[in-house]
C-alpha cells in the first residue's frame, strides 16, 4: 500500500460538530453530539482516504507559548461549554478503540503538532491530508500537503492545494500568514490592523507581497486613512503575523513512523459504539455481523410428540425457562418454542408440541419457582396465545439491570456474558438479518438460552443480598413486571374514527396554512422542500443566512427559531411543521398501532432502559405525544374507555422530583414551600429575586421554573442560558443566587459527591444503585460529568421508584377490593385508569391515597386526579 498520512485537527472538528448538531445524549445523560459528529468525520476519512498513517492532534490546555508574547491571545473566546468539554475524553477513548494515535503537548496547540508532523512528511514527499475547520491550516499547504477544510458544520469539505489557494486568494500558502497578520482574527483575539478586512488585506498583498513589505512601503499605500492605520499599527501587524504562524519545530515525541494505521479491532469499536448508543453507526458498519462468539460444548435434546413423556419429570421446582418468539413486537409475534433447563438437562419444545402437551401447559400455570429471562415479555406473549404463566421467582434480566443500570443491551447473550462470562451467540449471528427464524435450525440455540438462564441465575442470586437490593428486586421490580404485563395485554382503546376526523381537521389546517404561507411568499412552492423553502426565505425574502447544508440553505428548526420576528412568514412555517408532524407521526402513526382484533393500542414498557430506573414506552411511545401544543393535546381525545359507561381517570404526581429533592436535601426553604402548599416556582422567584408574591412577574417565574427543574438534572450555566435565551454569565449569577437561598440543596450536592467518591456509587431511597466509576477520574471533564450524575440520580431514581411502588400497590389494591377498574398507562408521573361509573368515587379516593402514601417523605406527595370520557377530558 502506498504511503499516505492523514492528520486530524481534533479540537477544531469536535467544536464544529458540537455546534452543528443538537445536544444528543445517551441513556446515562452523557452528551454525545460532538463525539458522534467527530466519529462520522473519522469514518468518512477512513473510507475515502484509506490512510496508511493517521493521527489526531488535540490542544493540551488553555495556556500556550504564544501567551508569553501576547497575554491577550485568544482572550476574547467564551469558555468552552461543559457539554462540549466533557466529551473530549470520550473522543480519545473512541480513538483508542479505533487504534488511532492521538497526541497533545503541554504549552502548544494542535496546530503546532500538525505543522511539525506534516513538515516531516512533506520533506519525505509523503502525500498528506490535514482535516480541519480552521483556515490557519492553509499556510501548511504544499505540493504534498493538502488541506480538507470542513464547511457548514462538518457536512461539506473544501479541498485546498497550492493551485486552489492561488485561484481563490491570489496568494501562495505562505502568504496566508501575512493575510492574517494584516486582517487579524477576532476568534483568536489577534489584532491585525484595525479597519483592514480580507478584501483590503488581499489587495495589499497582491500589491506588496508581505506584511513587512506593506509596512516598509506604507507611504505608497493609496488612501490617507488606510495609510495612517498601517503606520500607527505596525507592531500590531508584525505581532499578529508572528501569532498566526504555525510552529513547525515543536518538541513533539511523535514522528511519521509512530502513527502507522493498520486497521481496528471491530469488537473494541462495537463496544465503544454501544456505550455511546451510536446504533446507526453500528448498522452502517455492520459490526454486529462481524462479532462471533465461541460457544462451549453443549448437549441438548428436542421434545417431540413421541418422547415428551421422558421430559415430564423435569417440569419441576426451579426449572429455567426461555420463551422464543418469531421477531418484532411480542404483542403480535408468534411463539416458536420454549427452552427449558433443569437438573443439568437442556431441551427445546417446539410450540406445535408444547401447545397440546397438557403437563407442560399446567406446569406453566403453577407456582413452581421458575427462573426466566424477561418475565414481562414472556407473560404478555403467552397471554396473547391464551396460555397462563405463574410462579416466576427470578428474572435474570431485571437482576442484571440492577447491577448494571448503565448498560443498554439486556439480551440474553449480553446478560449471560456480564453475569458469568458465558458465551452465547446473538440472534443476529444465528439467524442473520434477513433469514426467518422458522427457516433456521433454532433448537440448539433456544436450548442454550435456557442453559444461559441457569448459569446467569447462579451468578446473580447471591449478589442481590450482598448489594442490599433484595427488597428492591423481589418487592418492586419483580411484581412490577407482572403489573406492566397486565397493562400491556389490556391496552387502551382508541377511537380510529376520531383519529381520522382529527387527521382531516389537521389536513384542512395545513391547507389553510399553505395558502397563508404562499401569500406571504408571493409565490407557490413546496413548503416541505428544504431547498425550495431556503430559496424563498434567503434569496427572495432576503432573510439573513444562518447556516448552509450540502444542498443549499439550512431551514432546520433552530434556524427558523433564530429568524423569529424577522418576517411574519416564520411563525406560520413553524406552525405548519408542527401540524405536519402531528399528522404523520401521531395521527397516521397511532392508527397503524391499533390492534385489529382488540381495537386498542398495546404499548410496550421498557423496564431496563434508564439508569435512573425510569420506565419508557415504545410501539408506540405514548410519553412523547406533544401535549404543550393544543392540537397535540387533542390527540388524547381519541383515547377512550373500552366499555360503555366507563370513564378514564388520570392521576398525576405534582412536582415529584422537587419534593424528593426537598426530602433528600432536607432544605428548610424548599420544605417550607411544599408544607405551606405554595406554588414552588413563584416561591423560588420570590426568594431568589427578593420580591413579594404579587411582584413576581411571569418572566421571573419562568426563570425560577427553569432553574428548579434544571437543578434536578444537574444543569450548567450553558444549559440554563440555552433554555432561557440569556447569557451564560446571567445564568451563572442566577444559579449562584439559587444556591444562596437553598443552602440545603447546595450542601446535599456537595455531600453526595463526596459520598460517591468514597463508595463509587449513589443510591435512591430504595437502595437502587448507580455506579460512577469515573467519579475520581483525573480528567476534570469526565469527573465533572460523574459529579452531576451523582447529584441528580438519587432524585430522579427515587421519583421513579415512587411511581413504580404506586403501580404495584394500586394493582394489589384493585384486586383485593375486587374492583373492575383497570390500570392502563404510565406516562411520566401520571397513571391512567379506566373505571366503571359506579366505581369512580371509590377508585379516585383509592388512587390518591395509594399514590400519595407510596413512600413517606418529609414533605407531602401531592396527586392531582381528574376524569372524563376521554384521556383529554381527564386532564
Amino acid at each position: 500500500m502506498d504511503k499516505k498520512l492523514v492528520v486530524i485537527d481534533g479540537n477544531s472538528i469536535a467544536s464544529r460538530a458540537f455546534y452543528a448538531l443538537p445536544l444528543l445524549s445517551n441513556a446515562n445523560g452523557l452528551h454525545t453530539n460532538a463525539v458522534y459528529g467527530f466519529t462520522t468525520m473519522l469514518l468518512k476519512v477512513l473510507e475515502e482516504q484509506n490512510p496508511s498513517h493517521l493521527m489526531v492532534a488535540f490542544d493540551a490546555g488553555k495556556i500556550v507559548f504564544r501567551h508569553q508574547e501576547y497575554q491577550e491571545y485568544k482572550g476574547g473566546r467564551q469558555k468552552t461549554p461543559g457539554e462540549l468539554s466533557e466529551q473530549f475524553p470520550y473522543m480519545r477513548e473512541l480513538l483508542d478503540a479505533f487504534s488511532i494515535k492521538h497526541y497533545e503537548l503541554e504549552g502548544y496547540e494542535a496546530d503546532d503538532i500538525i505543522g511539525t508532523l506534516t513538515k516531516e512528511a512533506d520533506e519525505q514527499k509523503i502525500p498528506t491530508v490535514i482535516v480541519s475547520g480552521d483556515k490557519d491550516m492553509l499556510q501548511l499547504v504544499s505540493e504534498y500537503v493538502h488541506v480538507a477544510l470542513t464547511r457548514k458544520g462538518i457536512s461539506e469539505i473544501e479541498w485546498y492545494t497550492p493551485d486552489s489557494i492561488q485561484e481563490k486568494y491570489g496568494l501562495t500558502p505562505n502568504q496566508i500568514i501575512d493575510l492574517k497578520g494584516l486582517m487579524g482574527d477576532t476568534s483568536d483575539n489577534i489584532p491585525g490592523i484595525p479597519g483592514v478586512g480580507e478584501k483590503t488585506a488581499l489587495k495589499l498583498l497582491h500589491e506588496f507581497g508581505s506584511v513587512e513589505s506593506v509596512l516598509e512601503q506604507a507611504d505608497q499605500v493609496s488612501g490617507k486613512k488606510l495609510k495612517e492605520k498601517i503606520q500607527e499599527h505596525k507592531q500590531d501587524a508584525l505581532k499578529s503575523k508572528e501569532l498566526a504562524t504555525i510552529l513547525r519545530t515543536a518538541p513533539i515525541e511523535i514522528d511519521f513512523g509512530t502513527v502507522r494505521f493498520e486497521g481496528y479491532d471491530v469488537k473494541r469499536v462495537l463496544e465503544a459504539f454501544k456505550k455511546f448508543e451510536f446504533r446507526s453507526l453500528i448498522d452502517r458498519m455492520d459490526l454486529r455481523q462481524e462479532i462471533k462468539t465461541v460457544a462451549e460444548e453443549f448437549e441438548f435434546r428436542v421434545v417431540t410428540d413421541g418422547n415428551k413423556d421422558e421430559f415430564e419429570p423435569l417440569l419441576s421446582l426451579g426449572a429455567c425457562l426461555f420463551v422464543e418468539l418469531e421477531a418484532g413486537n411480542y404483542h403480535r409475534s408468534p411463539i416458536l418454542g420454549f427452552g427449558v433447563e433443569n437438573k443439568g438437562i437442556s431441551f427445546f419444545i417446539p410450540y406445535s408440541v408444547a401447545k397440546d402437551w397438557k403437563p407442560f401447559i399446567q406446569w406453566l400455570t403453577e407456582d413452581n419457582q421458575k427462573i426466566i429471562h424477561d418475565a414481562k415479555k414472556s407473560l404478555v406473549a403467552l397471554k396473547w396465545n391464551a396460555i397462563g404463566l405463574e410462579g416466576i421467582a427470578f428474572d435474570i434480566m431485571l437482576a442484571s439491570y440492577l447491577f448494571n443500570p448503565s448498560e443498554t443491551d439486556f439480551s440474553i447473550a449480553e446478560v449471560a456474558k456480564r453475569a458469568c462470562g458465558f458465551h452465547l451467540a446473538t440472534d443476529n449471528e444465528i439467524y442473520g438479518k434477513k433469514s426467518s427464524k422458522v427457516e433456521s435450525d433454532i433448537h440448539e440455540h433456544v436450548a442454550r438460552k435456557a442453559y444461559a438462564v441457569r448459569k446467569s441465575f447462579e451468578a446473580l442470586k447471591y449478589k442481590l443480598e450482598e448489594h442490599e437490593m433484595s427488597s428492591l428486586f423481589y418487592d418492586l421490580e419483580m411484581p412490577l413486571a407482572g403489573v406492566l404485563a397486565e397493562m400491556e395485554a389490556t391496552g387502551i382503546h382508541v377511537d380510529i374514527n376520531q383519529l381520522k376526523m382529527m387527521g382531516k381537521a389537521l389536513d384542512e389546517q395545513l391547507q389553510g396554512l399553505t395558502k397563508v404561507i404562499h401569500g406571504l411568499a408571493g409565490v407557490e412552492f413546496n413548503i416541505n422542500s428544504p431547498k425550495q423553502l431556503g430559496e424563498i426565505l434567503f434569496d427572495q425574502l432576503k432573510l439573513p443566512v444562518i447556516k448552509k447544508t450540502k444542498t443549499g440553505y439550512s431551514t432546520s428548526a433552530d434556524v427558523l427559531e433564530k429568524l423569529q420576528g424577522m418576517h411574519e412568514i416564520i411563525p406560520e412555517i413553524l406552525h405548519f411543521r408542527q401540524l405536519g408532524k402531528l399528522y404523520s407521526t401521531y395521527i397516521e402513526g397511532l392508527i397503524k398501532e391499533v390492534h385489529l382484533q382488540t381495537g386498542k393500542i398495546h404499548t410496550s414498557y421498557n423496564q431496563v432502559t434508564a439508569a435512573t430506573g425510569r420506565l419508557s414506552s415504545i410501539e408506540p411511545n405514548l410519553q412523547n405525544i406533544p401535549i404543550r401544543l393544543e392540537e397535540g393535546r387533542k390527540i388524547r381525545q381519541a383515547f377512550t374507555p373500552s366499555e360503555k359507561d366507563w370513564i378514564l381517570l388520570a392521576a398525576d404526581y405534582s412536582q415529584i422530583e422537587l419534593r424528593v429533592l426537598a426530602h433528600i436535601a432536607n432544605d428548610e426553604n424548599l420544605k417550607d414551600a411544599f408544607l405551606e402548599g405554595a406554588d414552588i416556582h413563584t416561591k423560588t422567584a420570590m426568594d431568589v429575586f427578593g420580591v413579594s408574591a404579587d411582584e413576581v412577574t411571569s418572566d421571573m417565574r419562568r426563570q425560577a421554573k427553569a432553574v428548579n427543574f434544571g437543578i434536578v438534572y444537574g444543569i450548567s450555566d450553558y444549559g440554563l442560558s440555552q433554555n432561557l435565551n440569556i447569557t451564560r454569565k446571567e445564568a451563572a449569577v442566577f444559579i449562584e443566587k439559587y444556591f444562596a437561598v437553598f443552602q440545603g440543596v447546595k450542601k446535599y450536592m456537595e455531600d453526595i459527591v463526596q459520598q460517591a467518591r468514597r463508595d463509587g456509587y449513589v443510591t435512591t431511597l430504595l437502595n437502587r444503585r448507580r455506579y460512577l466509576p469515573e467519579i475520581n477520574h483525573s480528567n476534570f471533564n469526565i469527573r465533572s460529568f460523574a459529579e452531576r450524575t451523582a447529584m441528580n440520580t438519587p432524585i430522579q431514581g427515587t421519583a421513579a421508584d415512587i411511581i413504580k411502588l404506586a403501580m404495584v400497590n394500586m394493582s394489589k389494591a384493585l384486586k383485593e377490593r375486587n374492583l373492575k377498574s383497570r390500570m392502563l398507562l404510565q406516562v411520566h408521573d401520571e397513571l391512567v385508569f379506566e373505571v366503571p361509573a359506579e366505581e369512580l368515587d371509590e377508585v379516585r379516593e383509592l388512587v390518591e391515597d395509594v399514590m400519595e402514601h407510596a413512600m413517606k417523605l418529609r414533605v407531602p406527595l401531592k396527586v392531582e386526579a381528574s376524569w372524563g370520557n376521554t384521556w383529554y377530558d381527564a386532564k
Side-chain angles (χ1 to χ4, degrees), residues 762-803:
V762 291
T763 63
T764 67
L765 294 182
L766 289 188
N767 213 33
R768 182 187 302 278
R769 287 191 185 189
R770 182 168 184 180
Y771 294 93
L772 300 166
E774 293 156 339
I775 193 72
N776 292 309
H777 201 284
S778 58
N779 182 280
F780 172 80
N781 296 311
I782 294 178
R783 187 172 68 250
S784 296
F785 176 76
E787 288 171 355
R788 290 200 301 278
T789 304
M791 294 172 194
N792 63 53
T793 292
I795 302 162
Q796 296 176 49
T798 296
D801 288 344
I802 289 172
I803 197 161

Side-chain angles (χ1 to χ4, degrees), residues 37 54 365 860 873:
L54 178 60
T365 60
D873 298 329

Side-chain angles (χ1 to χ4, degrees), residues 504-610:
K504 186 179 179 183
L506 279 176
D507 188 50
E508 289 173 357
Q509 279 186 270
L510 285 167
Q511 289 180 31
L513 277 171
T514 299
K515 290 180 181 177
V516 170
I517 291 168
H518 287 167
L520 291 170
V523 65
E524 290 190 4
F525 67 99
N526 182 358
I527 304 169
N528 289 315
S529 165
K531 187 173 186 299
Q532 292 185 35
L533 178 60
E535 289 169 355
I536 293 293
L537 295 180
F538 305 111
D539 290 338
Q540 185 168 317
L541 299 179
K542 304 299 182 185
L543 293 175
V545 177
I546 307 294
K547 192 163 53 175
K548 284 193 172 184
T549 67
K550 288 181 182 178
T551 54
Y553 303 109
S554 171
T555 59
S556 60
D558 61 321
V559 168
L560 294 182
E561 292 288 346
K562 289 174 183 173
L563 295 173
Q564 283 272 36
M566 295 187 186
H567 196 285
E568 55 191 331
I569 199 172
I570 300 300
E572 304 297 342
I573 293 169
L574 286 169
H575 195 203
F576 179 89
R577 284 189 175 176
Q578 288 175 324
L579 296 188
K581 183 173 182 180
L582 283 177
Y583 184 83
S584 61
T585 304
Y586 298 104
I587 299 295
E588 295 182 328
L590 287 175
I591 288 174
K592 289 175 187 173
E593 293 292 347
V594 177
H595 198 282
L596 293 177
Q597 275 90 32
T598 66
K600 296 179 177 182
I601 279 178
H602 300 269
T603 190
S604 299
Y605 286 100
N606 198 327
Q607 208 172 338
V608 295
T609 293

Side-chain angles (χ1 to χ4, degrees), residues 39 119 224 231 421 509 579-580 715 765 838:
T39 306
K119 181 174 183 286
K224 182 182 177 184
Q231 291 172 336
Q509 279 186 270
L579 296 188
I715 202 166
L765 294 182
E838 65 273 15

Side-chain angles (χ1 to χ4, degrees), residues 659-721:
R659 292 171 190 270
V660 170
L661 174 61
H663 171 88
I664 292 178
N666 201 17
D667 185 286
E668 295 302 326
N669 284 334
L670 205 52
K671 285 193 302 181
D672 286 347
F674 285 120
L675 290 169
E676 294 165 6
D679 176 86
I680 186 62
H681 306 312
T682 299
K683 181 70 166 61
T684 300
M686 290 166 58
D687 291 338
V688 170
F689 291 108
V691 296
S692 62
D694 57 356
E695 292 175 310
V696 173
T697 64
S698 59
D699 194 52
M700 286 178 179
R701 187 181 182 279
R702 181 177 65 88
Q703 290 186 328
K705 184 176 181 179
V707 79
N708 271 333
F709 287 119
I711 290 296
V712 172
Y713 288 91
I715 202 166
S716 65
D717 56 357
Y718 175 80
L720 187 61
S721 71

Side-chain angles (χ1 to χ4, degrees), residues 318-322 369-373 391 393-394 396 453-454 457:
C320 295
L321 173 70
F322 191 91
Q369 304 292 292
K370 299 176 191 70
I371 302 148
I372 201 165
H373 174 271
F394 200 97
I396 63 165
V453 172
R454 171 69 65 194
F457 168 66

Side-chain angles (χ1 to χ4, degrees), residues 25-67:
S25 59
N26 66 4
N28 295 327
L30 169 69
H31 292 105
T32 57
N33 59 326
V35 184
Y36 181 82
F38 184 88
T39 306
T40 58
M41 175 56 72
L42 181 63
L43 292 174
K44 186 174 183 179
V45 166
L46 294 177
E47 290 166 5
E48 296 180 359
Q49 300 303 317
N50 193 25
S52 63
H53 296 71
L54 178 60
M55 189 198 74
V56 179
F58 288 105
D59 295 339
K62 296 176 184 176
I63 304 300
V64 296
F65 71 91
R66 291 175 178 86
H67 287 95

Side-chain angles (χ1 to χ4, degrees), residues 208-244:
F208 299 102
S210 69
V211 167
E212 290 80 3
S213 294
V214 170
L215 300 179
E216 287 168 6
Q217 303 174 64
D219 57 335
Q220 297 180 32
V221 172
S222 58
K224 182 182 177 184
K225 193 172 183 182
L226 177 60
K227 187 183 300 182
E228 290 174 354
K229 288 279 187 186
I230 292 171
Q231 291 172 336
E232 185 180 346
H233 293 277
K234 281 186 177 182
Q235 291 307 312
D236 285 338
L238 291 170
K239 179 60 66 179
S240 295
K241 180 175 179 179
E242 183 183 347
L243 292 170

